[in-house]
Amino acid sequence: MDKHARKVDVVVHANMLLTIKMMLESSSLITLNEWFATGIDAVILLLICSKLLKQKYKNKELIFITIIGLLCSYSSITVGNFYLFFAYLFIIAMKGVNLYQMLSYRIIVKIGVIAVHVIIFMLNSLLDSGRISTVVRNGVIRYDFFLGQPNTCQMYILWTSIELIFVIYERLKAGHLCLIFAINVIFYMFTNSNTSIILLILLMLFVIGEKYNSACIKRVYSEIASKGFGLLSILFAIIVATYEKVPEAVRVLYRLLDKFFTGRIAYGAYAYHLYGFSIVGQGVQFPGLRQWMGQWFDSLYLDNSYCWLLMGYGIIFILLISFFLLKYIEYMNEIEKICVAIMVLYAVTESYALDVSKCFPLMIIGCVYYRVKGMQEQYANSY
């Protein structure tokens, strides 16, 4: 991949638009007009389609891509959420796209949007603190900087940091890591978002381990990147399917696990109780205030990406993502493996792992696919 290419692919523009749109939809400072948002989606689709029409496909490849596209369309329409559909579009449109360039532009956009929200937050804290919304968890006041909720805000900080590390990885210095860590910790003091700070620490360990050529750490993140998605899907499938059937001793363990993941296990199990597993997609909606297994549910959150796929989008997509990660791991460079590993772990506590405007590693699958295809074509042409 040419990191210094100057030509900007239309897919990069499409991704910038999607990123801006999703960040504005998270913001509580403005209300994005529905027609305007739909118009942005239409422009994104036009840009990507213009790219796809120029790409050449073999017959088998075209059939496979079409079938997956139809499945993603059906599932997204059924679920009423289009994260997966846009992920599919960007993955198959990554041919010739400079991911380093794309993320460089994303970083500028995201830092700009975050900076505006932080400045307005600071001004309000000085002039009109009543406008600042807060969330209290275990006696700790949490702030969101007008970016939806504390976890969402910290998520933007975390993934902007990961994108920056990805872009400057070859010239990454200890000072860069210290600065990135400090910024994340400062935001953590306000958001108290544990998932993001834990994953940041793991990211730092993986990066430092790779830089010092630690075989053990390299093996850890490589195994997570290649097999983690499939294994964690199986693990959560077993837990939610057996949640109400296991002996009391095991249920105690499940409850401890649920407490550690702040209710995500119970919500997943309740969704399974209501809907069961999905193959290619089903609507998952909350039926109203209910008591189940001695616990009251006043909503139905599936923050766990694996549960979203198991009960919502469909198991078929777990199989596809797991297959491609396992198949192409050997063709990824070290920072790509690290980013995929962080995505796999991030998916345990957030559904954003499927949203390529926030969490980019799924697009690495497309990059590596076309990289391998190019190598194969070059090899074939040499004979």
Side-chain angles (χ1 to χ4, degrees), residues 21-42:
K21 178 204 167 192
M22 298 306 291
M23 291 192 77
L24 292 180
E25 286 187 342
S26 297
S27 175
S28 57
L29 293 177
I30 65 170
T31 300
L32 201 61
N33 181 274
E34 184 178 349
W35 287 103
F36 182 70
T38 302
I40 294 177
D41 287 339

Side-chain angles (χ1 to χ4, degrees), residues 72-82 313:
C72 286
S73 301
Y74 172 81
S75 178
S76 296
I77 292 171
T78 302
V79 172
N81 184 302
F82 288 84
Y313 287 123

Side-chain angles (χ1 to χ4, degrees), residues 105-177:
Y105 285 116
R106 271 170 64 127
I107 291 166
I108 295 171
V109 168
K110 291 167 76 174
I111 288 177
V113 175
I114 292 169
V116 169
H117 283 75
V118 170
I119 291 170
I120 294 176
F121 174 85
M122 293 173 66
L123 290 174
N124 275 278
S125 65
L126 294 173
L127 304 175
D128 187 10
S129 59
R131 291 191 60 193
I132 298 176
S133 62
T134 60
V135 176
V136 179
R137 183 178 68 183
N138 298 327
V140 178
I141 300 176
R142 308 173 69 201
Y143 300 89
D144 59 19
F145 291 91
F146 300 111
L147 280 169
Q149 58 163 298
N151 287 349
T152 303
C153 175
Q154 192 74 42
M155 174 272 297
Y156 283 124
I157 304 302
L158 172 68
W159 282 102
T160 303
S161 301
I162 296 173
E163 289 167 12
L164 179 60
I165 289 173
F166 184 91
V167 169
I168 67 171
Y169 195 69
E170 290 184 359
R171 58 184 189 276
L172 187 67
K173 306 294 183 184
H176 296 135
L177 291 179

